[in-house]
Amino acid sequence: MTIELNFTMDRGPFNLDITLSVPATGVTAVLGPSGSGKTTLLRVISGLEKARSGTVKVCGVYWQNDRFHLPTHRRLVGYVSQDDTLFPHLSVEKNLLFGFRRTPAPQQTISFEQVVQLLELKP
């Protein structure tokens, strides 16, 4: 998947200007010190935050530009934060099931049981 970003976010006394192109294959890591914009970058790609200006383009399709913002639920992407819990008030099983309930069944390529097995989670 090719992701092309060029956007500006207002973050306190400074602007976050990012231009990034991610190759269609392989693994890409986003590294940097605390406060450098890593989480903001991922939140903009996933649609959880809207950039003040600029574009987000995935596989040649604009997900955001100055006139259009593709809703989060239509992007069918996600990310994993380094925080160890998504929703502290939910059990591990309910946290894992959360994503499954938000994705239409025909688009799921892996079952809940396969995820549990893959992550080596015991009852």
Side-chain angles (χ1 to χ4, degrees), residues 1-11 14-23 28-58 63-64 69 72 75 77-81:
M1 174 186 324
T2 301
I3 301 174
E4 298 174 35
L5 301 147
N6 185 317
F7 66 88
T8 302
M9 297 287 295
D10 291 322
R11 288 287 182 246
F14 64 92
N15 285 335
L16 175 61
D17 293 311
I18 296 177
T19 302
L20 171 71
S21 183
V22 178
T28 301
V30 180
L31 303 171
S34 180
S36 64
K38 301 176 301 289
T39 299
T40 301
L41 169 70
L42 296 175
R43 291 179 61 83
V44 168
I45 292 170
S46 66
L48 296 172
E49 286 193 45
K50 186 175 180 182
R52 178 173 52 99
S53 65
T55 61
V56 176
K57 189 175 175 182
V58 179
W63 284 9
Q64 178 182 330
H69 183 264
T72 303
R75 295 182 184 214
V77 297
Y79 71 92
V80 178
S81 173

Side-chain angles (χ1 to χ4, degrees), residues 41-121:
L41 169 70
L42 296 175
R43 291 179 61 83
V44 168
I45 292 170
S46 66
L48 296 172
E49 286 193 45
K50 186 175 180 182
R52 178 173 52 99
S53 65
T55 61
V56 176
K57 189 175 175 182
V58 179
C59 296
V61 177
Y62 282 101
W63 284 9
Q64 178 182 330
N65 59 33
D66 293 334
R67 292 176 281 142
F68 177 73
H69 183 264
L70 185 68
T72 303
H73 69 279
R74 298 208 31 230
R75 295 182 184 214
L76 297 177
V77 297
Y79 71 92
V80 178
S81 173
Q82 70 185 35
D83 193 1
D84 59 352
T85 57
L86 291 173
F87 302 108
H89 65 286
L90 298 179
S91 68
V92 171
E93 179 181 6
K94 288 181 180 176
N95 267 287
L96 287 172
L97 283 171
F98 181 82
F100 278 87
R101 292 193 178 120
R102 305 232 356 131
T103 304
Q107 295 179 358
Q108 290 179 2
T109 59
I110 188 169
S111 70
F112 175 75
E113 291 76 20
Q114 289 171 314
V115 171
V116 171
Q117 188 176 37
L118 179 68
L119 297 175
E120 298 180 9
L121 297 175

